[in-house]
Amino acid sequence: MIRASELNIMRGTLVLFEGAEFVVHPGERVGLVGRNGSGKSTLFSVIKGHIDLDGGDIHYPDSWRLAWVEQTVDDMDRSAREHVIDGDRHLRALQAQRALAETSTASGELIGELEAALNEAGAWQANARAESLLAGLGFSAEQWSHPVGSFSGGWQMRISLAKALMAPSDLLLLDEPTNHLDLDAMLWLERWLASYEGSVIVISHDTEFLDAVSQVILHVDHRKLVRYKGGYDSFLNQRAERLRQTRVAWDKQTQETARLQSFIDRFKAKASKAKQAQSRVKAMARMQALAPLQAEANIDIRIPQPDNTPDTLVQLKDASVGYSVNGKPHTILSKVTQRVEAGDRIGVLGVNGAGKSTLIKLIAGELESMAGDRLAANTLKIGYFAQHQMDVLDATATPLLHLARISPGVREQQHRNYLAQFGFTGSRVNEVIAPFSGGEKARLALALVVWHKPNLLVLDEPSNHLDVETREALTTALAEYEGSLLLVSHDRHLLRTTVDQFWLVADGSVQKFDGDLDDYRQLVSGSAALSPAARAEQAADRKQQRRDQAQARQQLANAKKPLDKKIASIDARLEAIRKQVDTLDVKLADESFYADANTEARQKVLLEHGQLIQEKARLEEDWLLTMGQIEALKETTTAF
């Protein structure tokens, strides 16, 4: 096991750990969490032996082999597959010895011993192991032999991750391993870690990933390490309860809880899909329960609401889109027919390279269609956040100057008030952004994107570089945003909480995915287990499956038409009741109402108010029951 006692670690004059202790048992999977700058990565450097302790001791068995992801790649000309195999240093050493024996007068006995050692080290399976790792992380078979230098920085980090996983190890240290992964690669990594036999310590800002892979959470708290049994959600609940018991930020919690509860109530009355509604309400309830943690973090993001939203914002009709390669058009997506309507909250799913970013660039107007049409409403206002949005920021400018450039003529105090909503207060607004953290730059980039009150937010991986607290603040802000949303993200908590329908980008097309993220996980897991022949057979059957599904969907639509009509009627009545109750609430809040001598009129208003509240409760119960009937009907239909 790893045992640390009385740890003292400093960075310059800053004390990161003081008298800290922790234990990691063999085979244990540990999530290491804490605010940015709290010392998590520094602790990893100590465990690796790269920096010395200022006091205390960390001990683990001398026989333990450590593995971690290297941040730089030395040999850019080496193929991806060979670079991954380099992670198994013991195997490479044996191969070098065997090659040397071929050119020397080594005895047959020595060569035999080396052959036996190579066999024991898995030399004959090394290529297959490396290829399996690369495939799991999203590389095609054609890319396995490409030189490392031919890949972008993000893909090079995937190769480095595969190299770390290739290394035989007893302790695996992973620092933000999901930063450069899409959702499919992340799900694969979760499965790989589940079968890994050694101990794992993971630093990650992706809370669902941490919850999936962790059995224990170590939390950096006031220069100590506090151990919590269970995954990330269990840690949050335990910590939230501790904060409640000590009444830390109790007033802020009450305010945040009321704010979130208001959203939950509003969402329940408008949800269009029972299964996804249940998933989203559950996620929102989790946010409500953890309000004290957000209050303690003291990070608040507020996205301005749009002034108006047309019924249909963007419509694609048989649209094809792609890029020009060497002067020739290269189509990524073909015959896409989809629309984004008022109030839509859409998550975009699909494997890396399927065309998710291409799709949202088309919708955002960043790419023109090669065929077909993109029709946009006259009053459409898009806020587009690209994966590399931070690259367009001026490192020599301040947050205040950035905002002034896109909104000249606005008073400085108004700019300051707005930036405060994104965590930039006081003198911070006048500091150049070059030394800002990735999370701070991402917050500023988002603030600039939403300044003009867009009625459609198109976001491509907006939570990259954000720490856990800022991700939670962004999640809350997007959940409360009343415009339409189109989101690409590998952060499942963000997706669960902010969207209520999905599009699936696959095989050059875009289809609605009638399920939730758990259904998508099953889809991805099932596809990963198929052989190439089975995949080919599956592809051949898709056309017939789509016909069968279209027929089943039509049957379902006919069967649930009266239920949909009932839901629409309930929604209309609930909206009318809400307006009536709001009107009566104004009367009831007026002191003159109670001073009026007309007791009979006052009692009539009170009686009407009470009757409306009772009717509202009955209608909400009827709404949930009817949605349950629709869901049950779906489950009995073969297409669902």
Side-chain angles (χ1 to χ4, degrees):
M1 69 173 66
I2 309 175
R3 183 180 295 276
S5 58
E6 295 298 322
L7 289 186
N8 292 322
I9 303 175
M10 299 183 67
R11 188 171 58 198
T13 59
L14 178 64
V15 178
L16 297 176
F17 295 95
E18 187 174 25
E21 298 181 347
F22 71 90
V23 172
V24 176
H25 299 287
E28 208 164 46
R29 285 153 179 73
V30 178
L32 179 60
V33 303
R35 292 184 179 182
N36 278 356
S38 61
K40 302 185 297 294
S41 296
T42 302
L43 181 59
F44 266 19
S45 295
V46 170
I47 295 173
K48 295 173 191 176
H50 291 174
I51 63 175
D52 295 328
L53 286 168
D54 294 292
D57 178 63
I58 291 183
H59 175 76
Y60 53 83
D62 293 336
S63 61
W64 270 25
R65 299 162 296 179
L66 272 60
W68 59 83
V69 179
E70 298 287 354
Q71 299 300 311
T72 57
V73 179
D74 296 329
D75 194 348
M76 291 291 186
D77 296 326
R78 199 159 178 77
S79 74
R81 177 173 46 218
E82 291 302 310
H83 185 79
V84 171
I85 296 174
D86 289 344
D88 192 339
R89 296 181 182 179
H90 175 62
L91 173 61
R92 285 306 199 201
L94 289 174
Q95 289 175 334
Q97 293 176 42
R98 180 65 180 84
L100 182 62
E102 284 285 346
T103 61
S104 66
T105 57
S107 65
E109 181 180 359
L110 175 59
I111 291 176
E113 290 175 354
L114 287 171
E115 289 288 345
L118 284 167
N119 185 59
E120 185 177 347
W124 322 126
Q125 295 81 39
N127 279 355
R129 285 175 56 210
E131 291 167 358
S132 175
L133 292 169
L134 288 169
L137 291 173
F139 292 85
S140 66
E142 179 186 3
Q143 293 175 309
W144 299 342
S145 58
H146 290 182
V148 174
S150 67
F151 295 98
S152 67
W155 284 91
Q156 288 179 17
M157 290 310 301
R158 291 195 189 202
I159 295 173
S160 293
L161 174 59
K163 181 180 179 182
L165 303 184
M166 182 75 181
S169 60
D170 303 288
L171 174 61
L172 182 59
L173 303 175
L174 297 177
D175 192 346
E176 295 293 351
T178 65
N179 267 0
H180 301 284
L181 303 184
D182 57 19
L183 182 55
D184 296 67
M186 187 186 306
L187 293 172
W188 174 88
L189 180 59
E190 287 179 8
R191 295 194 298 273
W192 191 94
L193 290 174
S195 63
Y196 175 70
E197 295 180 354
S199 300
V200 183
I201 306 180
V202 180
I203 298 171
S204 179
H205 291 146
D206 190 299
T207 59
E208 286 217 16
F209 176 77
L210 275 178
D211 199 48
V213 303
S214 302
Q215 303 162 325
V216 171
I217 296 295
L218 282 179
H219 179 222
V220 184
D221 187 12
H222 295 90
R223 300 192 291 275
K224 306 290 185 183
L225 284 160
V226 184
R227 181 182 171 99
Y228 294 84
K229 187 176 181 180
Y232 189 80
D233 274 355
S234 177
F235 151 71
L236 288 180
N237 288 323
Q238 293 175 63
R239 178 157 171 73
E241 184 59 31
R242 175 184 292 185
L243 290 177
R244 288 189 188 96
Q245 290 173 353
T246 57
R247 301 187 65 83
V248 172
W250 180 260
D251 291 339
K252 285 188 178 181
Q253 179 207 354
T254 303
Q255 183 180 16
E256 185 73 7
T257 298
R259 174 176 153 199
L260 292 174
Q261 184 62 54
S262 173
F263 174 80
I264 293 170
D265 292 341
R266 186 170 73 250
F267 176 76
K268 281 182 179 177
K270 293 184 177 180
S272 59
K273 291 188 176 183
K275 186 170 186 179
Q276 292 170 0
Q278 292 163 5
S279 176
R280 192 169 178 203
V281 168
K282 182 178 178 181
M284 290 303 299
R286 171 181 180 267
M287 293 172 65
Q288 179 189 15
L290 303 178
L293 295 185
Q294 290 179 251
E296 186 198 32
N298 200 28
I299 296 174
D300 194 17
I301 294 177
R302 299 294 176 97
I303 298 175
Q305 303 299 346
D307 292 326
N308 63 80
T309 302
D311 290 338
T312 299
L313 292 97
V314 180
Q315 186 174 4
L316 303 179
K317 290 186 175 181
D318 289 326
S320 297
V321 63
Y323 302 90
S324 177
V325 179
N326 297 325
K328 296 181 179 180
H330 177 64
T331 303
I332 304 295
L333 300 172
S334 301
K335 296 186 178 300
V336 179
T337 299
Q338 298 290 349
R339 68 173 64 194
V340 181
E341 298 183 336
D344 277 352
R345 310 181 69 83
I346 302 165
V348 183
L349 304 174
V351 300
N352 195 78
K356 300 188 297 294
S357 294
T358 302
L359 171 67
I360 68 170
K361 284 179 181 178
L362 173 63
I363 290 177
E366 297 291 314
L367 282 177
E368 293 186 2
S369 59
M370 301 166 66
D373 296 307
R374 172 191 179 271
L375 306 176
N378 291 333
T379 55
L380 174 67
K381 292 174 68 175
I382 289 180
Y384 174 54
F385 184 98
Q387 286 194 45
H388 307 293
Q389 193 73 27
M390 294 183 297
D391 295 343
V392 304
L393 296 176
D394 181 356
T396 64
T398 67
L400 206 55
L401 180 55
H402 274 97
L403 192 54
R405 285 172 176 172
I406 65 171
S407 55
V410 176
R411 291 185 302 108
E412 179 180 313
Q413 188 57 50
Q414 188 176 343
H415 283 158
R416 284 180 174 272
N417 294 343
Y418 178 77
L419 288 169
Q421 296 177 18
F422 292 82
F424 300 101
T425 59
S427 61
R428 197 68 168 160
V429 300
N430 282 316
E431 296 178 16
V432 296
I433 69 166
F436 280 18
S437 69
E440 289 173 318
K441 291 177 181 177
R443 269 190 281 133
L444 176 58
L446 179 63
L448 299 176
V449 163
V450 301
W451 164 260
H452 292 295
K453 298 183 179 180
N455 46 31
L456 172 59
L457 279 181
V458 181
L459 308 179
D460 193 353
E461 299 291 358
S463 63
N464 278 359
H465 309 288
L466 300 184
D467 59 23
V468 171
E469 291 82 6
T470 309
R471 284 187 184 209
E472 288 291 348
L474 174 63
T475 299
T476 301
L478 290 177
E480 293 184 321
Y481 173 65
E482 295 178 1
S484 298
L485 173 66
L486 192 68
L487 174 65
V488 174
S489 178
H490 64 256
D491 187 327
R492 282 161 291 174
H493 174 54
L494 181 63
L495 286 169
R496 288 185 202 277
T497 310
T498 61
V499 308
D500 50 32
Q501 59 176 300
F502 293 102
W503 290 354
L504 178 60
V505 181
D507 301 322
S509 66
V510 182
Q511 304 294 334
K512 290 185 177 180
F513 181 72
D514 208 350
D516 58 16
L517 286 176
D518 293 328
D519 296 322
Y520 183 68
R521 174 195 284 273
Q522 293 177 4
L523 176 69
V524 171
S525 299
S527 176
L530 293 177
S531 65
R535 287 194 192 118
E537 183 179 350
Q538 184 187 63
D541 290 341
R542 280 177 183 161
K543 190 172 182 179
Q544 181 60 44
Q545 289 173 356
R546 283 196 289 268
R547 283 197 293 265
D548 293 341
Q549 289 170 351
Q551 182 180 358
R553 282 195 294 269
Q554 185 59 48
Q555 292 172 352
L556 175 66
N558 293 336
K560 71 184 187 74
K561 189 175 294 183
L563 295 175
D564 287 338
K565 187 176 180 180
K566 183 177 180 180
I567 286 293
S569 175
I570 294 174
D571 282 341
R573 179 56 185 154
L574 281 171
E575 180 64 17
I577 289 175
R578 183 189 66 78
K579 291 179 180 178
Q580 288 177 272
V581 169
D582 287 347
T583 301
L584 294 177
D585 282 342
V586 172
K587 289 184 178 180
L588 295 175
D590 189 343
E591 293 182 3
S592 63
F593 172 78
Y594 301 94
D596 193 336
N598 191 340
T599 305
E600 183 178 347
R602 185 163 60 248
Q603 288 178 341
K604 184 178 179 181
V605 171
L606 292 170
L607 178 62
E608 183 184 1
H609 187 273
Q611 289 173 338
L612 288 171
I613 295 299
Q614 290 178 359
E615 184 182 359
K616 178 175 177 287
R618 287 196 302 271
L619 286 171
E620 287 177 342
E621 185 176 352
D622 196 14
W623 184 93
L624 290 172
L625 178 62
T626 306
M627 290 303 291
Q629 292 172 342
I630 292 175
E631 189 64 25
L633 189 60
K634 286 182 179 181
E635 291 176 356
T636 61
T637 306
T638 56
F640 295 87

